[in-house]
PDB file of all heavy atoms in Angstrom:
ATOM      1  N   PHE A  74      20.456  10.854  -9.396  1.00  0.00           N
ATOM      2  CA  PHE A  74      19.189  11.277  -8.773  1.00  0.00           C
ATOM      3  C   PHE A  74      18.272  10.101  -8.453  1.00  0.00           C
ATOM      4  O   PHE A  74      17.093  10.294  -8.159  1.00  0.00           O
ATOM      5  CB  PHE A  74      18.460  12.247  -9.735  1.00  0.00           C
ATOM      6  CG  PHE A  74      19.117  13.598  -9.841  1.00  0.00           C
ATOM      7  CD1 PHE A  74      19.930  13.866 -10.925  1.00  0.00           C
ATOM      8  CD2 PHE A  74      18.940  14.570  -8.871  1.00  0.00           C
ATOM      9  CE1 PHE A  74      20.568  15.099 -11.052  1.00  0.00           C
ATOM     10  CE2 PHE A  74      19.559  15.797  -8.966  1.00  0.00           C
ATOM     11  CZ  PHE A  74      20.378  16.073 -10.065  1.00  0.00           C
ATOM     12  N   THR A  75      18.813   8.883  -8.475  1.00  0.00           N
ATOM     13  CA  THR A  75      18.031   7.719  -8.078  1.00  0.00           C
ATOM     14  C   THR A  75      18.842   6.918  -7.069  1.00  0.00           C
ATOM     15  O   THR A  75      20.072   7.063  -6.963  1.00  0.00           O
ATOM     16  CB  THR A  75      17.707   6.815  -9.293  1.00  0.00           C
ATOM     17  OG1 THR A  75      18.924   6.302  -9.853  1.00  0.00           O
ATOM     18  CG2 THR A  75      16.927   7.596 -10.336  1.00  0.00           C
ATOM     19  N   ALA A  76      18.153   6.060  -6.329  1.00  0.00           N
ATOM     20  CA  ALA A  76      18.854   5.154  -5.434  1.00  0.00           C
ATOM     21  C   ALA A  76      19.614   4.121  -6.256  1.00  0.00           C
ATOM     22  O   ALA A  76      19.097   3.629  -7.275  1.00  0.00           O
ATOM     23  CB  ALA A  76      17.859   4.448  -4.483  1.00  0.00           C
ATOM     24  N   GLU A  77      20.825   3.778  -5.860  1.00  0.00           N
ATOM     25  CA  GLU A  77      21.590   2.763  -6.578  1.00  0.00           C
ATOM     26  C   GLU A  77      20.860   1.422  -6.566  1.00  0.00           C
ATOM     27  O   GLU A  77      20.453   0.944  -5.513  1.00  0.00           O
ATOM     28  CB  GLU A  77      22.964   2.611  -5.967  1.00  0.00           C
ATOM     29  CG  GLU A  77      23.851   1.605  -6.691  1.00  0.00           C
ATOM     30  CD  GLU A  77      25.167   1.373  -5.978  1.00  0.00           C
ATOM     31  OE1 GLU A  77      25.160   1.347  -4.729  1.00  0.00           O
ATOM     32  OE2 GLU A  77      26.189   1.224  -6.659  1.00  0.00           O
ATOM     33  N   PHE A  78      20.699   0.826  -7.733  1.00  0.00           N
ATOM     34  CA  PHE A  78      20.062  -0.473  -7.856  1.00  0.00           C
ATOM     35  C   PHE A  78      21.119  -1.554  -7.549  1.00  0.00           C
ATOM     36  O   PHE A  78      22.189  -1.577  -8.135  1.00  0.00           O
ATOM     37  CB  PHE A  78      19.509  -0.658  -9.265  1.00  0.00           C
ATOM     38  CG  PHE A  78      18.918  -2.014  -9.505  1.00  0.00           C
ATOM     39  CD1 PHE A  78      17.756  -2.404  -8.886  1.00  0.00           C
ATOM     40  CD2 PHE A  78      19.526  -2.888 -10.396  1.00  0.00           C
ATOM     41  CE1 PHE A  78      17.218  -3.654  -9.111  1.00  0.00           C
ATOM     42  CE2 PHE A  78      18.991  -4.131 -10.645  1.00  0.00           C
ATOM     43  CZ  PHE A  78      17.839  -4.521 -10.005  1.00  0.00           C
ATOM     44  N   ARG A  79      20.777  -2.485  -6.626  1.00  0.00           N
ATOM     45  CA  ARG A  79      21.750  -3.466  -6.157  1.00  0.00           C
ATOM     46  C   ARG A  79      21.298  -4.912  -6.381  1.00  0.00           C
ATOM     47  O   ARG A  79      21.741  -5.826  -5.679  1.00  0.00           O
ATOM     48  CB  ARG A  79      22.071  -3.220  -4.673  1.00  0.00           C
ATOM     49  CG  ARG A  79      22.728  -1.865  -4.467  1.00  0.00           C
ATOM     50  CD  ARG A  79      23.041  -1.541  -3.030  1.00  0.00           C
ATOM     51  NE  ARG A  79      23.785  -0.276  -2.924  1.00  0.00           N
ATOM     52  CZ  ARG A  79      24.153   0.282  -1.783  1.00  0.00           C
ATOM     53  NH1 ARG A  79      23.831  -0.296  -0.626  1.00  0.00           N
ATOM     54  NH2 ARG A  79      24.833   1.420  -1.769  1.00  0.00           N
ATOM     55  N   GLY A  80      20.428  -5.099  -7.346  1.00  0.00           N
ATOM     56  CA  GLY A  80      20.054  -6.469  -7.685  1.00  0.00           C
ATOM     57  C   GLY A  80      18.776  -6.938  -7.001  1.00  0.00           C
ATOM     58  O   GLY A  80      17.939  -6.148  -6.578  1.00  0.00           O
ATOM     59  N   SER A  81      18.646  -8.247  -6.872  1.00  0.00           N
ATOM     60  CA  SER A  81      17.455  -8.849  -6.281  1.00  0.00           C
ATOM     61  C   SER A  81      17.831  -9.988  -5.337  1.00  0.00           C
ATOM     62  O   SER A  81      18.949 -10.509  -5.405  1.00  0.00           O
ATOM     63  CB  SER A  81      16.511  -9.360  -7.372  1.00  0.00           C
ATOM     64  OG  SER A  81      17.120 -10.396  -8.116  1.00  0.00           O
ATOM     65  N   ILE A  82      16.901 -10.326  -4.484  1.00  0.00           N
ATOM     66  CA  ILE A  82      17.123 -11.437  -3.557  1.00  0.00           C
ATOM     67  C   ILE A  82      15.844 -12.291  -3.474  1.00  0.00           C
ATOM     68  O   ILE A  82      14.743 -11.825  -3.738  1.00  0.00           O
ATOM     69  CB  ILE A  82      17.464 -10.953  -2.129  1.00  0.00           C
ATOM     70  CG1 ILE A  82      16.376 -10.000  -1.593  1.00  0.00           C
ATOM     71  CG2 ILE A  82      18.821 -10.341  -2.056  1.00  0.00           C
ATOM     72  CD1 ILE A  82      16.531  -9.668  -0.119  1.00  0.00           C
ATOM     73  N   GLU A  83      16.040 -13.555  -3.160  1.00  0.00           N
ATOM     74  CA  GLU A  83      14.922 -14.428  -2.830  1.00  0.00           C
ATOM     75  C   GLU A  83      14.550 -14.183  -1.363  1.00  0.00           C
ATOM     76  O   GLU A  83      15.416 -14.003  -0.516  1.00  0.00           O
ATOM     77  CB  GLU A  83      15.308 -15.904  -3.019  1.00  0.00           C
ATOM     78  CG  GLU A  83      15.781 -16.257  -4.416  1.00  0.00           C
ATOM     79  CD  GLU A  83      14.624 -16.349  -5.408  1.00  0.00           C
ATOM     80  OE1 GLU A  83      13.467 -16.368  -4.945  1.00  0.00           O
ATOM     81  OE2 GLU A  83      14.890 -16.393  -6.624  1.00  0.00           O
ATOM     82  N   VAL A  84      13.271 -14.169  -1.099  1.00  0.00           N
ATOM     83  CA  VAL A  84      12.806 -13.884   0.255  1.00  0.00           C
ATOM     84  C   VAL A  84      11.867 -15.005   0.721  1.00  0.00           C
ATOM     85  O   VAL A  84      11.040 -15.476  -0.054  1.00  0.00           O
ATOM     86  CB  VAL A  84      12.072 -12.521   0.315  1.00  0.00           C
ATOM     87  CG1 VAL A  84      11.402 -12.301   1.668  1.00  0.00           C
ATOM     88  CG2 VAL A  84      13.059 -11.386   0.029  1.00  0.00           C
TER      89      VAL A  84
END
Side-chain angles (χ1 to χ4, degrees):
F74 289 99
T75 63
E77 182 185 39
F78 176 68
R79 297 178 175 178
S81 63
I82 56 171
E83 302 285 348
V84 172

